[in-house]
Structures are given as C-alpha cells and as structure tokens.
Amino acid sequence: MYTDKVMDHFTNPRNVGEIEDASGVGEVGNASCGDIMKIFLKVEDNIIRDVKFKTFGCGAAIATSSMVTEMAIGKTIDEALELSNQAVAEALDGLPAQKMHCSNLAADALHEAIKNYKEQNG
Amino acid sequence: MSNIYLDYNATSPVRPEVLEVMLPFYREQFGNPSSVHWAGRQVSGALEKAREQVAALFNDSPAEIVFVSCGSEGDNMAIKGTLDALKEKGNHIITTSIEHPAVLETCQYLEKQGYDVTYLPVDRDGMLDLDDLEAAITEKTVLISVMWANNETGNIYPIEQIGRIARKYNIRFHTDAVQAVGKIPVDVQKANVDLLVISGHKIGAPKGVGALYVRRGTRMSALMHGGHQERNRRAGTQNVAGIVGLGKACELALAELDEYYDRVRALRDRLEDGVLSQVPDIKLNGTPDREKRLPNTLNVSFAYIEGESLLLNLDMFGIAASSGSACTSGSLEPSHVMGAMCVEVTLAHSSTRFSLGPETTESEIDKVLEVLPATVQRLRDMSPLYNCGRTAEGCETCETVRRI
Ligand SMILES: Cc1ncc(COP(=O)(O)O)c(C=O)c1O
Ligand code: FES
C-alpha cells in the first residue's frame, strides 16, 4: 500500500520532537479524521535552521510530517511557503489516494508555523 | 522472525483436515450435484453429508440449511427475503447500531426503499438494553435482527432472551452468528432463532462459502433467481468443494468446542491481563465481563496514538492485528461500533483488535506482550497529545461521528 519512501520515513521518522524556544509553532488537525500535527520552527536571518514535529495520525501522516521537516530545513521563509502538499506527497513517491488528505496537513502545519513566526516578528 | 497472526476475526487459514476432504471434489468428483448420472450422484451425497454436519453444529435439521456464498449473502437474503415475503404484514425492522455492514447497509438500503428501521443504541460497553428492544416493537414490526457476537469487540448478545421476546410478539428473528459459531455454543432451538447466518472462512473452511439456517415453514423470497437448487431457496450450482469443507469445519468445531474455548480463553486472558497491567492509559472496548465476550477477542484503545500507525509498527515485528481506525477502513470516520459505544474520537482511532485462533500459542502471546508496550511508548513520544496536559474530550463534546 505504501511506497518504500513512506515506510522509510514512517519507521525512521526524522526530526521528531519539540523546539524549546521555537521561533514559530503551528498546529493543524482534524480529530475526527485522526490527524493532529504540530510543527516547531527555528528561524534565523529569514532562514529555517531547524524544524521538529509531533504527530498523531496514521502511517501517511507520520511520513509526511517527517518529509516536510526535511524539505523545509535550509529554505528561506518564502521558499518554505511555496512548499505544497503535492510536493510532499511526490517526494514520498506518492500516497494512496484515500490518504491524500493526510499529506495536506504536513505543508499546512508548516505554513501555520511560519504564520505564527511572522506574527511574532511583525 | 516468524509471523504471528492475531486477526482470526477477519479470516482464518483453511484447516488441513478441511483441505484434505475438499480436494477430491475438484478433479475426481467434479459432477454437478443436480445431474442424474454417475458424476452427479457421486457428489450429491457429499452435499447432504455437509448439510448434516452444519445442521448438527447449531442443532437444527439438515433440511433447514441453505448453502450460500458468504456471510454477507446470508445476511442479505435473510433480511431482504423476509421483508419481501412479509410485506403485507408490515414494514418495520429492529436491529442494532453495532451490526456488521452486511446487516447495517442492507437495512439502510431498505430504508431508501421505504421500509422503517430502528437501530437500537448500545451503552458504553457496547451492550443492549432489552427494554429498548421491547419498546421499539410496533404492529408493523416483521423482523428483529441482532448479531450473536460482535466482530470488533467480541461482545456476546443475549440471544436467548431476545428469542423469547421475538416469540412473545410473534416476530421473526434473524441473527448473524458469523463470529459466534465455533467459538461459543450456538443452539437455534434454545434461542428460538428463525434465521441464522454463518461464514466458512471464519472457522477454518475456505472463503466463498457460508450457510443460512431457515426454520422450517419460514416464508422467504429468494435473492438469487434461477435453477431449483437448495429447495428453490438459492439458485446457482453449489460450490461443492467449499460446502464439503464447511461441513468438515463445522464437524470439527462441534467436537472441539469446549477444548477450543478453554485454550483460547486462557491465552486471551493472558494477553488481556498483560496489556492492561503493562500499558498505562488504555481503554478496554467492549464489556469488561469476560463471560459475555468471545473467548478469543480483545479490543483496546491506546490513548494519544492512532491505530494504523500502531498496526504498521506491530507488522514490522510480524504481528498481524486490526484496527477500528478510519485510516484502515478507507473512510474518514472511525468504526461505527466505537461510535455507537460513544468511544471518544481519538480513542476510537486507536482501537486495536487482537483476535486469537486455534493455532495461537503462548509464546506468540508473550512475544506480543514483549513488543507492544515499547511500541506504544515510541508512538506516544511522537504524539502531540501525549504529556501536554490535554485531557480526553468528554462524551458531550466529542466529535465522534454517530452516523446512526
Ligand atoms: C459479524 C460478521 N457478519 C458478516 C460477515 C461477512 O462475512 P463474509 O466475509 O463471509 O461475507 C463478517 C465478516 O467480516 C462478520 O464478522
Ligand atoms: S489519519 Fe486520516 S487517513 Fe490517515
């Protein structure tokens, strides 16, 4: 059902955890579908230096969270805002059709965290 | 690493004794049981023997057994066939909110056709209140359909008491016994059941065969029209090998019932005691009264984590279980059974079912108990819901989708 990349990110998720003094935190979730995803950012000079995540969800939800953290690290804020859900799914070599809404969450959570950072930093 | 299969409520491997008796019916004894010549005669006896073996398991007579293709067909036929045959008498069905989709979806289809259906609620342990059942009966009620045991929780329903109520009001009574049969005693006379359904692949017979018990004198319309097989109740050349296998599986189930119960129950209790004592923050789904639960089923929710990710993690250790999580069902909503029991929504997503079978061993259970606590903890450490002061939602605010 899942691609090797999804299984890899699911079994060895990258960047799990929280950032104590995060520059921005974003959370999206839909408990009735079973996903809640929280992203923590560390931003310096407009560049995302570190990202961590915590996720409640299925295999796809965990894999997309892990993937989005890898994709975002090193990007500028503006570049990260252009990261789409589709791009995350593609980086994982695709997701089963019924799971596509899980992947929406990963980029959304990142965008929420950036929004939160921008609010704090005017 | 050897695989551990704890999903017997989903399906079971064909038993070697069953496979053995089936094989001659593919090549040597290949005839059509309706034929008059030697080839047909060779197999018609085998069909009748299987009918006797099936009938013996739930104490009816062979003439009351109709072979069908699966449990779902049996449920469809029992319900649609009854409502159609009794349409002069009434148009109301009483069933429960925790039935298998083979019953629920059939009832929902009939609702669209203009029939009335009452779906009885269950309490938080998934049990019925029989006063609700009696209160739901109207002059138009023609069928009561309540499963003997639930596939997700293993809860056993008071079929004898429901049978008495059905008789008192002279209402036909159907029960889906797909999960009960072979696991606990099932007796249609004692329970006053008119229609009962079983499925081969849950009891060590192959997939694609089942049986429907129809009490003598029960008027029913056919679902499948065509030839005169099965006393005109179900058209279509019989799946002879499958039926022979079903007969053998029923014979074995009857002979081994007590031994099966004690053995599997002891293993399940070992698993249940181990999980409940070793993993904090969990909820047992189903009745805590183990006498009222199938001996092989344990359903638990692990707070803060989601079921599919737990299943995938267990799968890495070769452990096969199943989940009521939305993600494993292809829909967005968690199991309707958890919803009906008002299990809080995130807990419903993590409901995990372990169902044991005759081939389960003690060392397999011990392996699960070794792997499970650490696996749950690993996922909890990854969860935004864990250790953050959030409390589970109460029943009043929970978003569990109650579809019915
Ligand atoms: C309670 C119950 N009823 C009916 C069925 C359907 O049986 P089958 O798969 O043979 O159609 C199942 C199987 O999942 C079941 O557990
Ligand atoms: S959590 Fe929604 S489909 Fe996976």
Side-chain angles (χ1 to χ4, degrees):
Chain A
M1 178 175 86
Y2 286 132
T3 66
D4 291 347
K5 273 218 179 120
V6 173
M7 283 314 289
D8 175 37
H9 276 265
F10 172 69
T11 48
N12 300 299
R14 331 297 198 247
N15 306 307
V16 180
E18 303 185 4
I19 297 175
E20 286 279 310
D21 50 344
S23 333
V25 181
E27 182 179 305
V28 290
N30 174 357
S32 63
C33 132
D35 306 302
I36 299 169
M37 189 182 295
K38 203 167 177 180
I39 293 261
F40 303 79
L41 293 180
K42 185 93 206 156
V43 181
E44 280 167 22
D45 305 331
N46 222 29
I47 292 177
I48 298 177
R49 298 288 179 199
D50 196 12
V51 187
K52 291 249 187 296
F53 83 87
K54 283 215 158 171
T55 288
F56 165 85
C58 64
I62 290 174
T64 51
S65 313
S66 166
M67 181 51 95
V68 88
T69 63
E70 274 204 331
M71 293 172 85
I73 290 175
K75 286 204 166 51
T76 65
I77 291 295
D78 289 338
E79 285 166 349
L81 277 174
E82 284 182 11
L83 254 181
S84 70
N85 311 310
Q86 191 60 32
V88 176
E90 278 167 18
L92 289 164
D93 295 337
L95 289 171
Q98 78 272 22
K99 300 280 183 180
M100 285 305 284
H101 74 281
C102 294
S103 74
N104 288 337
L105 224 54
D108 290 354
L110 177 69
H111 298 164
E112 283 299 312
I114 294 173
K115 207 167 96 192
N116 175 255
Y117 163 76
K118 284 189 165 170
E119 279 162 11
Q120 291 179 32
N121 295 274
Chain B
M1 180 186 65
S2 56
N3 286 333
I4 299 176
Y5 186 75
L6 294 179
D7 204 9
Y8 280 87
N9 286 10
T11 196
S12 63
V14 173
R15 297 183 57 164
E17 307 94 311
V18 168
L19 183 62
E20 194 187 325
V21 298
M22 288 173 62
L23 290 176
F25 292 92
Y26 287 106
R27 289 289 308 165
E28 294 102 69
Q29 301 177 49
F30 62 86
N32 186 325
S34 305
S35 303
V36 293
H37 49 58
W38 57 266
R41 282 197 309 273
Q42 271 185 346
V43 299
S44 54
L47 270 192
E48 296 322 306
K49 180 174 173 208
R51 220 180 282 286
E52 283 166 21
Q53 290 166 316
V54 174
L57 181 54
F58 27 88
N59 190 22
D60 58 311
S61 79
E64 296 173 304
I65 296 295
V66 179
F67 290 117
V68 293
S69 70
C70 61
S72 302
E73 185 191 332
D75 285 332
N76 268 267
M77 184 170 159
I79 298 169
K80 292 175 184 162
T82 293
L83 272 287
D84 189 61
L86 301 184
K87 59 175 177 283
E88 319 283 69
K89 255 189 93 186
N91 65 347
H92 179 229
I93 311 169
I94 300 174
T95 186
T96 78
S97 48
I98 45 76
E99 295 299 311
H100 188 272
V103 169
L104 275 187
E105 298 279 331
T106 302
C107 287
Q108 281 161 8
Y109 166 80
L110 288 172
E111 266 184 300
K112 289 201 200 96
Q113 309 298 311
Y115 292 95
D116 289 329
V117 184
T118 301
Y119 301 93
L120 299 173
V122 292
D123 63 20
R124 285 173 169 238
D125 291 334
M127 295 309 271
L128 290 168
D129 181 343
L130 295 189
D131 292 341
D132 290 344
L133 170 62
E134 264 195 272
I137 294 172
T138 72
E139 278 167 17
K140 294 281 183 195
T141 309
V142 287
L143 183 69
I144 295 172
S145 176
V146 178
M147 69 196 328
W148 203 302
N150 182 268
N151 45 306
E152 290 190 30
T153 58
N155 279 4
I156 299 168
Y157 293 96
I159 296 300
E160 284 184 30
Q161 280 166 272
I162 297 170
R164 276 199 289 278
I165 294 172
R167 174 150 298 174
K168 178 166 142 200
Y169 292 91
N170 195 20
I171 298 168
R172 191 178 291 183
F173 180 27
H174 160 243
T175 184
D176 174 336
V178 167
Q179 293 294 343
V181 82
K183 296 178 186 141
I184 52 171
V186 166
D187 183 325
V188 289
Q189 308 308 343
K190 251 200 212 158
N192 187 39
V193 168
D194 299 306
L195 297 158
L196 175 143
V197 174
I198 69 167
S199 173
H201 71 101
K202 311 283 185 182
I203 57 169
K207 294 162 187 63
V209 64
L212 170 64
Y213 155 78
V214 184
R215 182 178 292 280
R216 185 167 299 137
T218 302
R219 260 200 313 135
M220 265 184 41
S221 305
L223 198 61
M224 196 84 95
H225 299 275
H228 298 299
Q229 292 90 352
E230 302 298 298
R231 297 169 185 253
N232 287 321
R233 291 219 189 260
R234 201 267 187 189
T237 301
Q238 289 93 342
N239 169 8
V240 176
I243 289 168
V244 167
L246 179 64
K248 185 70 185 175
C250 286
E251 181 193 294
L252 293 170
L254 182 61
E256 297 169 4
L257 189 59
D258 292 343
E259 187 198 323
Y260 165 91
Y261 187 98
D262 294 341
R263 217 183 76 76
V264 170
R265 166 83 192 259
L267 291 174
R268 194 279 313 272
D269 287 354
R270 184 183 181 89
L271 179 66
E272 185 162 332
D273 293 339
V275 171
L276 294 178
S277 64
Q278 290 176 41
V279 187
D281 297 336
I282 62 180
K283 175 183 181 304
L284 176 78
N285 296 313
T287 172
D289 181 350
R290 294 180 188 182
E291 297 299 321
K292 296 202 175 116
R293 218 168 349 116
L294 292 175
N296 77 321
T297 307
L298 170 65
N299 189 317
V300 273
S301 287
F302 300 90
Y304 319 118
I305 66 175
E306 192 274 339
E308 192 209 71
S309 44
L310 180 59
L311 287 192
L312 288 170
N313 269 289
L314 293 175
D315 185 46
M316 293 193 289
F317 293 96
I319 300 168
S322 81
S323 168
S325 150
C327 296
T328 55
S329 68
S331 76
L332 298 186
E333 292 149 17
S335 134
H336 70 280
V337 176
M338 296 302 132
M341 289 162 56
C342 215
V343 174
E344 188 268 325
V345 67
T346 55
L347 285 177
H349 276 288
S350 81
S351 83
T352 305
R353 178 187 72 188
F354 300 95
S355 50
L356 288 57
E359 295 179 44
T360 307
T361 64
E362 193 171 293
S363 65
E364 289 180 331
I365 296 300
D366 290 345
K367 175 77 183 171
V368 174
L369 289 173
E370 183 191 314
V371 164
L372 187 68
T375 304
V376 169
Q377 192 55 45
R378 195 177 95 84
L379 287 167
R380 282 182 175 168
D381 289 337
M382 219 184 274
S383 168
L385 303 177
Y386 185 54
N387 265 345
C388 62
R390 286 194 210 188
T391 47
E393 290 170 79
C395 191
E396 297 67 32
T397 56
C398 109
E399 286 180 62
T400 305
V401 194
R402 271 179 176 257
R403 270 182 296 173
I404 33 183

